[in-house]
Every structure is written in C-alpha cells, then in structure tokens.
Amino acid sequence: MNLILKKPIIFFDLETTGVDIVKDRIVELGYIKVFPNGEEESKTMRFNPERHIPEEATAVHHITDADVAQCPTFKARAKELAKVFEGCDLGGYNSLKFDLPLLAEEFARTDVDIDLKKAKMVDVQNIFYKMEPRTLVAAYKFYCGKNLDDAHAADADIRATYDVLRSQLDKYPSDLQNDINFLSDFSAHSKFADFAGHIIYDESGAEVFNFGKYKGITVEAVYKKDPGYFGWLLQADFPLYTKKLLTEIKLRATSF
C-alpha cells in the first residue's frame, strides 16, 4: 500500500560514532524522500566526524576513519540538508529514541535554523513492536518476505524501513490508518517536548520533567521553586536542544 501524503516524508537512517546523542557524531546519513505524487529521491552522504570512530562502531556499520577522512563535516553540509528536510514529515526505525535526537544535536551545533519539531515523526519500529515485537531484520522477513542481507548499511536499512511501513499498512488495515498524523501518534512513546525525552507534555500541554527528582513536575514550576537546579541543568551534560527548550521556558516564565 502506498502512503497517502499531504506533504513529503523523509525516511532517514544514521550511522554514528556511538550511541550517546550528546557526545557522538554522524558518519553517514541516508534518506529516501517520498513525495505526495509517489515520486522518490534518495541520497546517502558521509561525514568526517572530526574524531576517531571506535572499533565497536565500525564493527556494526563497517565505516572506518580512513573511509571518511576526506569527507566534509556535517556543519559543511548542514544548509544543504536543511533544505532537504525543511517542510517534510519524517520516518525511521527507532528514530524517536536515537536518530532524530542525534540529528537535532548536529543541527544545533551549526548556525543553520531548522525546527524539526514541526515535523510529524513516524517510528516504524514502534509500530512493529506494538504489532509484532522483533528486530528490523525480522520485520523485513515477516512483512516483506525477504532477507535483509545488508543490515546496518544506511541505504539498505532505510529502504527496508520504508518497505516495512507500506507492508504494515497492508497487513493491519483495520488497526492502522494511511495517514501520517495517525502513524506519528501511533508510533510515539510519549509526547516529547524535546527530542531526547527528558521533557514531555502532560495532558494539559504543559512541559514537565520526565526524569530526576522533579519528574512529573512542570518545568516552569521547577524554575520558580528551585532556580539553582534549573541553572545546574543548563550547565550539565544535556543535549543542546533540551537546553534550548529549557531556556525558552525560562524566558517565557520571566516575561510575565
């Protein structure tokens, strides 16, 4: 089943130096951009992370320091990527927990202005886990009847992810709607206010902490009650996007 789209959606996958969204960097990004008329464009690009790629990461994606030594940095291609992603919804596999937060961090380190929060995010893994809890390799075999021979190669993973989603729509017509807003809500764990899940929205739409001693308390209330804790968060090793959101809430709270 083909997707019913009101605007383009980009299925993307990252290969990185590790799994820490604050400290690690992107070494490869692949995407398929699907347009409402069904046309597609795809691209895979590599980046020099300006740091050593650990051997354990290379063992997963097979990209070495030498492979990316002559590649541009992410910052050098950030404007180009922003034009590709601007105005699009997003799709991926485990992207809500990892790929999207890390991509947001990379953009935050540049001077490129792009608001990824405006995009609807469809996480195919979460749909899969709710329906048939397994891995991408198993998902591809289960839904598409094919073997994923090049798992952890960005271009193979994103193509498999896109194919799995279309097959999920065929398999669960009574449970899934061919609508990006529905799929985004269905595949989401929570209503994240930031990408890392440190801050979420409560039922009234207010931002609340999702960790620590103030878990479940609104960020604005914590700022007014314990500004020292708030200041510590802004200096601690948290994602840049999370700190940006905290600053916006602080400014909003002091503007009244």
Side-chain angles (χ1 to χ4, degrees), residues 15 27-28 46 53-54 57-68:
E15 305 301 340
V27 296
E28 183 175 83
R46 288 184 172 181
I53 302 174
T58 296
V60 174
H61 50 56
H62 309 297
I63 301 172
T64 67
D65 290 340
D67 292 330
V68 295

Side-chain angles (χ1 to χ4, degrees), residues 18-76:
V19 296
D20 188 317
I21 65 172
V22 174
K23 298 179 180 179
D24 283 304
R25 300 293 187 268
I26 299 172
V27 296
E28 183 175 83
L29 182 152
Y31 69 84
I32 300 172
K33 188 172 185 177
V34 185
F35 295 87
N37 64 4
E39 292 184 2
E40 302 175 11
E41 67 177 43
S42 61
K43 191 170 188 177
T44 299
M45 53 185 72
R46 288 184 172 181
F47 306 99
N48 185 338
E50 299 182 290
R51 62 185 58 196
H52 172 60
I53 302 174
E55 285 68 23
E56 54 268 29
T58 296
V60 174
H61 50 56
H62 309 297
I63 301 172
T64 67
D65 290 340
D67 292 330
V68 295
Q70 302 305 315
C71 293
T73 63
F74 182 90
K75 184 175 183 179

Side-chain angles (χ1 to χ4, degrees), residues 76-112:
R77 301 195 70 173
K79 289 184 179 180
E80 174 189 347
L81 271 176
K83 290 180 181 179
V84 173
F85 277 75
E86 193 68 50
C88 297
D89 289 323
L90 303 174
Y93 197 89
N94 193 35
S95 297
L96 282 169
K97 284 186 176 180
F98 181 69
D99 298 78
L100 186 56
L102 183 54
L103 181 63
E105 279 298 287
E106 289 280 33
F107 273 121
R109 295 185 191 101
T110 73
D111 56 359
V112 175

Side-chain angles (χ1 to χ4, degrees), residues 22 90 98 112 144 146-147 156-157 161 175-176 189 202 208 223:
V22 174
L90 303 174
F98 181 69
V112 175
C144 305
K146 303 174 183 177
N147 293 318
D157 284 357
T161 297
D175 296 301
L176 301 180
H189 284 299
D202 65 12
V208 302
Y223 170 69

Side-chain angles (χ1 to χ4, degrees), residues 35-243:
F35 295 87
N37 64 4
E39 292 184 2
E40 302 175 11
E41 67 177 43
S42 61
K43 191 170 188 177
T44 299
M45 53 185 72
R46 288 184 172 181
F47 306 99
N48 185 338
E50 299 182 290
R51 62 185 58 196
H52 172 60
I53 302 174
E55 285 68 23
E56 54 268 29
T58 296
V60 174
H61 50 56
H62 309 297
I63 301 172
T64 67
D65 290 340
D67 292 330
V68 295
Q70 302 305 315
C71 293
T73 63
F74 182 90
K75 184 175 183 179
R77 301 195 70 173
K79 289 184 179 180
E80 174 189 347
L81 271 176
K83 290 180 181 179
V84 173
F85 277 75
E86 193 68 50
C88 297
D89 289 323
L90 303 174
Y93 197 89
N94 193 35
S95 297
L96 282 169
K97 284 186 176 180
F98 181 69
D99 298 78
L100 186 56
L102 183 54
L103 181 63
E105 279 298 287
E106 289 280 33
F107 273 121
R109 295 185 191 101
T110 73
D111 56 359
V112 175
D113 184 21
I114 179 172
D115 187 2
L116 296 175
K117 289 294 290 183
K118 293 180 180 179
K120 291 290 184 179
M121 179 71 215
V122 179
D123 194 320
V124 175
Q125 184 193 64
N126 289 345
I127 295 176
F128 181 37
Y129 280 7
K130 288 184 177 182
M131 296 298 187
E132 307 285 348
R134 293 180 189 169
T135 64
L136 176 58
V137 173
Y140 194 58
K141 180 68 174 179
F142 181 85
Y143 289 107
C144 305
K146 303 174 183 177
N147 293 318
L148 182 54
D149 297 324
D150 296 323
H152 296 298
D155 54 348
D157 284 357
I158 54 175
R159 173 59 64 181
T161 297
Y162 178 37
D163 289 345
V164 166
L165 177 58
R166 292 190 293 176
S167 294
Q168 286 173 331
L169 290 170
D170 287 327
K171 187 172 181 64
Y172 310 113
S174 61
D175 296 301
L176 301 180
Q177 298 176 24
N178 194 341
D179 176 81
I180 295 303
N181 289 340
F182 173 87
L183 294 171
S184 177
D185 290 339
F186 188 86
S187 63
H189 284 299
S190 301
K191 297 292 185 181
F192 289 178
D194 66 345
F195 291 113
H198 295 310
I199 303 171
I200 62 175
Y201 294 109
D202 65 12
E203 293 182 356
S204 68
E207 299 97 341
V208 302
F209 283 109
N210 195 33
F211 71 98
K213 64 179 181 179
Y214 290 119
K215 183 175 182 178
I217 308 299
T218 66
V219 176
E220 188 169 329
V222 172
Y223 170 69
K224 293 177 179 178
K225 175 183 177 180
D226 191 351
Y229 178 78
F230 204 91
W232 171 78
L233 291 175
L234 293 176
Q235 297 299 319
D237 193 17
F238 283 93
L240 293 177
Y241 193 93
T242 302
K243 292 182 179 181

